[in-house]
Amino acid sequence: MLVETKGGYDEGYEAITGFWGTKPGSLVRNYLADHDVVGSRVLDVGAGEGKNSAAFARAGAEVVAVECSAAAIRNGRRLFPSEVIEWTHRDAVEMDYPKNSYDVIVSYGLTHCLPSEVLARRLISELQAALVPGGTFILVSFNSGSHDLSAHPGFQPLLLSHAWFVSMFDGWQFQNLSDSILFETHPHNNIPHHHSLTRLTATKP
């Protein structure tokens, strides 16, 4: 059985159902406010408990949610019992992604949990190939800026530069692109901390 260990998120999922809350991330909210996604094919990779997947499903999209944590999927099924989500319990780097198959791909908080830049580059490239031309990629990840990892004991995230992420989408059209600091407190340990994040929404040429 797959277990999410990097970042200690399984501890949070076991302690609290709704560890990340139930509202979708800001980039997903913004996208859904501006787009009709009825019938769209959406892939949410590293879906966690499925708050982004659920938002797309409620809006009428056909959603596949890939997540390596059984605890996260269990919580997601409890939190969003009415939303039609195809939960897939797999490691994202071990999936075969069919080319030109999805209208939207979401990767929220996944890249920094990968073990190497090589795997990160390969996975993002495979996901880009899985998008249809004109499709949208929504990505949020830690980058190499400032971090306080006191709330993540033992976690050694993959910290790639903001410029690295921008370079991975060379030739794409950005609707959103930012390099900023997030201040947060996780509900299972109540330790205030911060992370530097790359956030982007880009359209495939």
Side-chain angles (χ1 to χ4, degrees), residues 161-197:
S161 71
H162 178 71
W164 183 92
F165 287 100
V166 174
S167 71
M168 286 297 299
F169 290 85
D170 183 42
W172 293 51
Q173 181 178 357
F174 290 104
Q175 284 73 52
N176 294 281
L177 179 62
S178 66
D179 177 8
S180 60
I181 294 181
L182 169 71
F183 295 89
E184 64 178 355
T185 301
H186 291 321
H188 71 305
N189 58 27
N190 294 313
I191 300 173
H193 59 288
H194 71 269
H195 299 295
S196 291
L197 295 179

Side-chain angles (χ1 to χ4, degrees), residues 16-78:
I16 297 172
T17 299
F19 181 75
W20 301 111
T22 57
K23 295 181 179 179
S26 60
L27 293 185
V28 171
R29 290 199 305 271
N30 292 343
Y31 183 85
L32 288 172
D34 295 334
H35 296 83
D36 179 1
V37 298
V38 174
S40 295
R41 296 157 296 173
V42 176
L43 175 65
D44 187 3
V45 186
E49 294 170 305
K51 65 179 187 178
N52 292 320
S53 294
F56 274 103
R58 282 194 297 270
E62 300 173 4
V63 182
V64 176
V66 177
E67 173 55 47
C68 68
S69 170
I73 293 175
R74 179 198 64 214
N75 288 356
R77 292 184 187 277
R78 292 173 178 172

Side-chain angles (χ1 to χ4, degrees), residues 57-189:
R58 282 194 297 270
E62 300 173 4
V63 182
V64 176
V66 177
E67 173 55 47
C68 68
S69 170
I73 293 175
R74 179 198 64 214
N75 288 356
R77 292 184 187 277
R78 292 173 178 172
L79 289 167
F80 309 111
S82 300
E83 283 74 11
V84 179
I85 300 170
E86 182 182 331
W87 288 100
T88 302
H89 185 209
R90 293 282 301 278
D91 188 327
V93 299
E94 296 178 355
M95 291 280 292
D96 291 322
Y97 301 101
K99 293 183 178 180
N100 300 319
S101 295
Y102 298 99
D103 302 295
V104 180
I105 290 180
V106 179
S107 175
Y108 247 79
L110 172 63
T111 308
H112 58 258
C113 291
L114 300 177
S116 71
E117 187 273 342
V118 171
L119 277 178
R121 182 178 296 275
R122 190 188 82 188
L123 178 59
I124 290 176
S125 295
E126 289 176 352
L127 294 174
Q128 289 173 331
L131 268 177
V132 299
T136 299
F137 203 125
I138 300 173
L139 181 146
V140 176
S141 178
F142 293 3
N143 63 33
S144 59
S146 176
H147 293 271
D148 172 5
L149 296 173
S150 59
H152 302 266
F155 184 31
Q156 296 181 335
L158 177 66
L159 300 179
L160 302 166
S161 71
H162 178 71
W164 183 92
F165 287 100
V166 174
S167 71
M168 286 297 299
F169 290 85
D170 183 42
W172 293 51
Q173 181 178 357
F174 290 104
Q175 284 73 52
N176 294 281
L177 179 62
S178 66
D179 177 8
S180 60
I181 294 181
L182 169 71
F183 295 89
E184 64 178 355
T185 301
H186 291 321
H188 71 305
N189 58 27

